[in-house]
């Protein structure tokens, strides 16, 4: 059998397939369909220090080969997660990645302390959410702010820190380097691309928030390009994501430079997408006589 | 427990110019379904999101869905052939609690089909069903079969009571007593049903709609404003906490 395990910031995942933050709740729902231990890691819904209600509905619009969402980080808060959701996830043999967003660098620091103490495997620092007004995207689009948040998170975390980059920038490499210099242990990319749809009849945006984040197959080529660029420019391990819907997509993103791959929006069409992607990737690796670690960054650019 | 399953089309039939009845071989989904729950149906290549459709009825591993063509997805679904496969996720959400109760069912338009199965299970069922015109009336025979009284109302008076489902419901409420009102249809109808129930001093369950992503409670896109016991407003989720809610929880005017 093909050796599927990979390393991400010193954390060993039994296979390279992760589920993307915000598309998979805290694992309970899709856990009704299959054993969560089949996944390499679960990245949970983005948490904030305090509970957040999120944006008014409608929060979703369908687009060609994708969706726009404007959930706006609805979540129960980090303490409630640690008390109620983390014990559930710990029943499974799967690594737990916790995605966090703060209004200030200090909030990121406080959450890193709490989550490290609670023993999560990896912290994903979201500096790229397009759906909240404060913090979020602002941190992700300015290198000096991205570096500051990273440094504060690192100073307060004992768990490894992965920083999630925004694609809504002119030069993702500058941000990636700033975050690397500030001490990040890994990078994840891409978050959603800011987009908009309008209902022709009412002339109203479909989303009540007017704009939202684009995900799904439509963004896949952007993800491949950005993972490739960041891999060329930094030494950090990469969790790649954006539109992955099959084992071939996962292989392509790994070739571009990803060490592991997250499946997100694809779950909505096929609840089994992460497991299917894992199996298809395993078959691809077997056919090519590779283990999972041998695929990363093997693209041969012209 | 929900399943994701390729279901065979057993029958597809037009009920009127844009409403269809779809009969699917659905195994475990049909077996586990409860009245008022829904399924999330894949509607063709290139449409990433499944379409939520309420379960009209089940029998012997079969799922009966009634849907209106609204856009490209439901249009695709209306063009299936017998023996085609359709991917279905379900059963999903929480349904009606009509069993062993005397219930008044209030439905408007395409909100009528999700009430049928609940009416079958009620100890006593009356129904007030509203449609735009006589040629839009659906499932009248089914409701006559399972209800003691089934009143039809049309906006233009071309059949039954001249007015809305609520006008028909008010006639029934004036003469009979019920333990529960179950309503499905446009929001103003749900709100009116909730107010009528409050006036009669009985509980009311309403089936809500919102645009969905996952359909299972994982993505949090299908938000609906609800009021908790302390009057605090928060966002619940139609696919998991609903689609059927007790009306006193729902914030209608947001
Ligand atoms: C819990 C629930 C139960 C439903 N039950 C029924 C039923 O039994 N029969 C029936 O005919 N219809 C039902 N609907 C409405 C049905 O889901 C929509 O008419 C359908 O999704 C439209 O898809 P479309 O591609 O034809 O339209 P489009 O307008 O092209 O769809 C575009 C997107 O918007 C979404 N959307 C559009 N209208 C609605 C809506 N009213 N509610 C939720 N999402 C919407 C679609 O799912 C799709 O993602 C139900 C909706 C919900 C939420
Ligand atoms: C409904 C929804 C909610 C999301 N919520 C979050 C979130 O809370 N935090 C975050 O970092 N990313 C969030 N994302 C972004 C995804 O994690 C992922 O980066 C993006 O969707 C691209 O991957 P995909 O195309 O496979 O979905 C969300 C995406 C979707 C569709
Ligand atoms: S549709 Fe995903 S939570 Fe309701």
């Amino acid at each position: 059998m093909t050796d599927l395990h990979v390393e991400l910031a010193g954390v060993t995942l039994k296979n390279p397939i992760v589920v993307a933050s915000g598309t998979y709740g805290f694992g309970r729902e899709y856990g009704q369909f299959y054993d969560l231990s089949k996944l390499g890691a679960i990245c949970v819904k983005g948490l904030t220090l305090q509970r957040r209600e999120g944006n008014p509905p409608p929060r979703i619009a369908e687009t060609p080969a994708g969706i726009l969402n404007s959930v706006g980080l609805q979540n129960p808060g980090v303490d409630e997660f640690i008390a109620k959701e983390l014990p559930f996830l710990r029943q499974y043999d799967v690594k737990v990645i916790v995605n966090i967003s703060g209004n200030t660098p200090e909030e990121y620091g406080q959450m890193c302390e709490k989550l490290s103490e609670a023993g999560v495997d990896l912290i994903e620092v979201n500096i790229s959410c397009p759906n909240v007004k404060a913090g979020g995207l602002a941190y992700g689009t300015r290198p000096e702010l991205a570096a500051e948040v990273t440094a504060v998170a690192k100073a307060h975390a004992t768990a490894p820190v992965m920083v999630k980059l925004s694609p809504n920038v002119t030069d993702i490499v500058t941000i990636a380097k700033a975050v690397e210099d500030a001490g990040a242990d890994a990078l994840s990319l891409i978050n959603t691309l800011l987009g908009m749809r309008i209902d022709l009849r009412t002339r109203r945006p479909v989303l009540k928030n007017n704009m939202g984040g684009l995900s799904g197959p439509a963004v896949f080529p952007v993800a491949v390009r950005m993972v490739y660029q960041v891999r060329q420019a930094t030494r950090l391990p990469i969790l790649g994501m954006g539109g992955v819907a099959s084992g071939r997509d996962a292989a392509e993103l790994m070739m571009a430079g990803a060490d592991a791959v997250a499946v997100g929006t694809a779950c909505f069409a096929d609840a089994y997408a992460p497991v299917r992607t894992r199996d298809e990737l395993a078959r691809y690796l077997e056919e090519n006589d590779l283990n999972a670690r041998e695929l990363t960054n093997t693209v041969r650019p012209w | 427990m929900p399943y994701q399953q390729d279901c065979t089309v057993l029958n597809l039939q037009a009920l009127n110019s844009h409403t269809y009845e779809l009969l699917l071989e659905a195994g475990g989904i049909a077996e586990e379904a409860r009245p008022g729950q829904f399924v999330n149906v894949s509607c063709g290549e290139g449409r990433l999101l499944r379409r939520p459709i309420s379960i009209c009825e089940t029998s012997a591993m079969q799922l009966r869905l009634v849907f209106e063509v609204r856009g490209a997805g439901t249009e695709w679904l209306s063009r299936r052939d017998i023996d085609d496969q359709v991917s279905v996720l379900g059963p999903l959400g929480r349904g009606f609690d009509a069993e062993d109760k005397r219930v008044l069912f209030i439905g408007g338009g395409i909100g009528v089909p999700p009430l049928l199965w609940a009416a079958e299970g009620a100890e006593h069922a009356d129904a007030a069903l509203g449609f735009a015109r006589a040629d839009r009336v659906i499932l009248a025979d089914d409701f006559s079969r399972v209800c003691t009284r089934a009143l039809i109302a049309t906006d233009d008076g071309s059949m039954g009571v001249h007015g809305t489902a609520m006008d028909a419901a008010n006639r029934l409420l004036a003469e009979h007593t019920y333990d529960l009102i179950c309503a499905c249809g446009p929001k103003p109808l749900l709100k009116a049903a909730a107010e009528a129930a409050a006036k009669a001093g009985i509980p009311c369950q309403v089936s809500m709609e919102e645009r969905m992503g996952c359909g299972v409670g994982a993505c949090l896109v299908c938000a609906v404003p609800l009021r908790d016991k302390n009057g605090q407003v928060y966002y619940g989720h139609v696919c998991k906490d609903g689609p059927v809610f007790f009306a006193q929880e729902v914030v209608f005017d947001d």
Side-chain angles (χ1 to χ4, degrees):
Chain A
M1 232 180 69
T2 315
D3 176 8
L4 286 179
H5 91 269
V6 294
E7 302 281 333
L8 188 66
V11 181
T12 303
L13 312 186
K14 68 159 100 58
N15 66 63
I17 304 304
V18 179
V19 288
S21 175
T23 61
Y24 210 80
F26 301 115
R28 288 182 191 273
E29 293 78 18
Y30 287 113
Q32 297 172 279
F33 294 90
Y34 43 84
D35 183 354
L36 297 177
S37 307
K38 291 186 172 178
L39 304 170
I42 291 178
C43 186
V44 302
K45 174 62 192 168
L47 298 175
T48 48
L49 198 53
Q50 313 291 343
R51 174 190 169 96
R52 266 181 75 98
E53 286 305 324
N55 293 323
R59 293 176 174 181
I60 190 165
E62 201 174 43
T63 70
I67 56 167
L68 292 175
N69 91 83
S70 58
V71 171
L73 293 177
Q74 180 170 17
N75 79 92
V78 69
D79 292 330
E80 175 94 356
F81 166 77
I82 291 169
K84 302 251 175 77
E85 303 296 340
L86 190 56
F88 167 77
L89 286 166
R90 282 302 182 216
Q91 296 172 276
Y92 298 93
D93 175 24
V94 65
K95 294 292 193 264
V96 175
I97 305 177
V98 179
N99 181 279
I100 59 169
S101 282
N103 290 312
T104 60
E106 291 67 39
E107 285 190 6
Y108 282 98
Q110 276 176 275
M111 284 188 276
C112 283
E113 266 176 32
K114 285 171 187 271
L115 291 164
S116 295
E117 198 172 314
V120 308
D121 297 296
L122 185 57
I123 295 171
E124 182 176 54
V125 171
N126 180 8
I127 54 165
S128 51
C129 184
N131 289 324
V132 287
K133 294 212 166 59
L137 192 55
Y139 291 129
T141 54
R142 294 178 50 191
E144 66 283 3
L145 292 180
E148 187 190 350
V149 170
T150 306
V152 172
K154 274 302 289 176
H156 288 81
T158 53
V161 170
M162 174 164 76
V163 178
K164 185 164 181 180
L165 304 180
S166 171
N168 301 305
V169 294
T170 38
D171 181 14
I172 197 162
V173 167
T174 316
I175 309 271
K177 282 185 168 158
V179 166
E180 180 177 37
D181 291 344
D185 300 300
L187 298 171
S188 60
L189 60 152
I190 56 175
N191 208 317
T192 54
L193 283 141
L194 201 54
M196 183 169 178
R197 295 296 310 260
I198 300 167
D199 183 324
L200 287 185
R201 196 175 49 80
T202 60
R203 300 191 186 189
R204 292 281 201 181
V206 177
L207 300 175
K208 195 68 176 277
N209 196 47
N210 296 323
M211 293 179 276
L214 180 65
S215 63
V219 310
F220 180 66
V222 180
V224 175
R225 184 265 290 184
M226 288 190 159
V227 165
Y228 170 70
Q229 285 181 311
V230 169
R231 170 59 73 176
Q232 299 304 307
T234 80
R235 296 168 174 285
L236 294 178
I238 295 174
L239 173 62
M241 71 190 88
V244 172
S246 69
R248 297 187 67 81
D249 294 344
E252 188 173 335
L253 209 49
M254 291 175 81
M255 247 179 229
D259 295 274
V261 169
V263 176
T265 301
C267 296
F268 304 167
D270 176 9
Y272 293 88
V275 178
R276 180 174 47 74
T277 300
R278 180 199 67 166
D279 295 344
E280 289 168 0
L281 177 66
R283 213 170 310 134
Y284 172 85
L285 291 168
E286 199 164 342
E287 280 163 16
N288 290 275
D289 202 18
L290 294 168
N291 71 44
R293 296 171 306 289
E294 289 167 342
L295 191 58
T296 299
N297 198 19
T298 55
V299 57
R300 299 163 54 226
W302 298 106
Chain B
M1 206 190 91
Y3 301 92
Q4 178 177 299
Q5 209 170 297
D6 286 334
C7 297
T8 306
V9 175
L10 298 173
N11 196 23
L12 178 67
Q13 180 190 341
L15 298 182
N16 60 36
S17 57
H18 58 302
T19 311
Y20 292 81
E21 179 182 294
L22 177 63
L23 201 62
L24 296 170
E25 180 73 59
I29 298 178
E31 243 174 2
E32 296 214 8
R34 314 287 316 143
Q37 285 190 302
F38 70 101
V39 290
N40 225 1
V41 184
S42 282
C43 288
E45 287 281 318
R47 272 176 290 278
L48 196 152
L49 296 177
R50 293 168 176 270
R51 274 32 176 180
I53 308 278
S54 288
I55 296 167
C56 173
E57 215 180 12
T58 72
S59 62
M61 317 276 249
Q62 295 176 5
L63 209 52
R64 182 183 182 197
L65 307 178
V66 175
F67 66 94
E68 228 172 60
V69 172
R70 285 292 176 87
T74 44
E75 209 269 329
W76 180 91
L77 199 59
S78 75
R79 285 187 288 101
R80 292 310 87 205
D81 287 319
I82 289 174
D83 288 339
D84 278 357
Q85 301 277 307
V86 179
S87 172
V88 180
L89 186 72
L92 301 170
R94 294 217 307 233
F96 293 107
D97 301 308
E99 263 169 63
D100 311 324
K101 295 195 180 73
R102 297 175 54 82
V103 187
L104 173 58
F105 292 90
I106 306 177
I110 197 62
V112 165
L115 300 173
L116 180 64
W117 197 19
E120 255 173 275
E123 181 194 294
H124 169 99
D126 284 356
L129 312 173
F131 303 91
R133 307 185 299 264
D135 64 5
R136 295 291 176 84
V137 173
I138 51 170
L139 307 183
D141 293 345
D142 291 275
F143 276 90
S144 305
R145 169 170 58 85
V146 303
C147 294
T148 308
R149 302 171 195 88
L151 291 192
I152 304 285
T154 49
D155 294 338
D156 67 353
S158 50
M159 186 192 276
V161 177
H162 189 167
T164 67
M166 210 52 229
D167 295 317
N170 284 330
R171 293 193 187 184
L172 291 167
L173 279 164
E175 291 175 24
H176 309 281
T177 58
Y178 303 97
D179 306 324
L180 174 71
I181 289 178
C182 293
C184 186
K187 242 188 205 170
L189 178 68
L190 302 184
K191 197 177 169 197
E195 284 163 4
K199 220 170 98 193
I202 57 174
C204 178
Q205 288 189 306
V206 292
S207 183
M208 305 291 290
E209 280 191 7
E210 191 44 75
R211 285 177 183 245
M212 291 188 179
C214 67
V216 297
C219 74
L220 310 185
V221 305
C222 60
V224 53
L226 301 177
R227 198 175 276 111
D228 71 15
K229 288 185 202 78
N230 307 318
Q232 193 78 26
V233 175
Y234 69 101
Y235 282 125
H237 297 96
V238 170
C239 73
K240 193 177 188 181
D241 308 318
V244 176
F245 295 90
F246 278 99
Q248 79 250 27
E249 290 178 86
V250 176
V251 180
F252 282 108
D253 16 44
D254 49 326

